């Protein structure tokens, strides 16, 4: 095993002695994000998708509470209705925020 390590160390030392030319630039440019590869728009699109998934989960959770409340637990059903209202309002506010973010970030 030690012989292999010594051979690998010798090969690495020989490779390090070879000249290498890296084309470094002192004034790098930012990439052009026009078209399909705009990272800000990608983040906003991911956010929209996450909002929709969270909204669906919230609505199903509130509907489950209302369904369980149907079997004699009226307080749980009332809590489900209140949760549904809060879920719909939260989703609405998040979806209204996206055009505002697009306008401020000027990505649209």
């Amino acid at each position: 095993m030690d012989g292999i390590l010594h051979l690998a160390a010798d090969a690495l030392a020989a490779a390090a002695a070879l000249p290498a030319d890296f084309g470094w630039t002192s004034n790098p440019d930012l990439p052009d994000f026009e078209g399909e590869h705009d990272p800000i728009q990608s983040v906003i699109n991911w956010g929209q998708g996450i909002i929709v998934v969270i909204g669906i989960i919230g609505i199903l959770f509130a509907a489950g509470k209302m369904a369980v409340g149907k079997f004699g637990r009226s307080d749980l059903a009332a809590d489900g209705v209140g949760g549904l209202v809060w879920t719909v309002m939260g989703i609405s506010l998040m979806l209204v925020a996206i055009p505002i973010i697009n306008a401020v970030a000027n990505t649209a």
Side-chain angles (χ1 to χ4, degrees):
M1 183 72 177
D2 287 338
I4 295 173
L5 291 177
H6 288 296
L7 286 175
D10 291 339
L12 185 62
L18 295 174
D21 183 28
F22 299 104
W24 299 106
T25 60
S26 61
N27 191 11
D29 293 330
L30 290 173
D32 187 20
F33 292 131
E34 296 298 323
E36 299 279 329
H37 302 290
D38 186 7
I40 295 172
Q41 190 63 40
S42 295
V43 169
I44 291 172
N45 290 341
W46 272 96
Q48 274 181 309
I50 291 170
I51 288 168
V52 169
V53 169
I54 289 172
I56 291 170
I57 292 170
I59 289 172
L60 289 175
F61 187 70
K65 280 185 169 183
M66 288 188 287
V68 170
K70 179 85 170 151
F71 298 114
R73 302 220 20 214
S74 61
D75 58 333
L76 194 60
D79 191 33
V81 172
L84 181 64
V85 171
W86 281 104
T87 302
V88 169
M89 292 304 293
I91 293 169
S92 300
L93 287 174
M94 286 188 278
L95 291 177
V96 166
I98 290 172
I100 295 170
I101 292 170
N102 278 332
V104 170
N106 199 13
T107 60

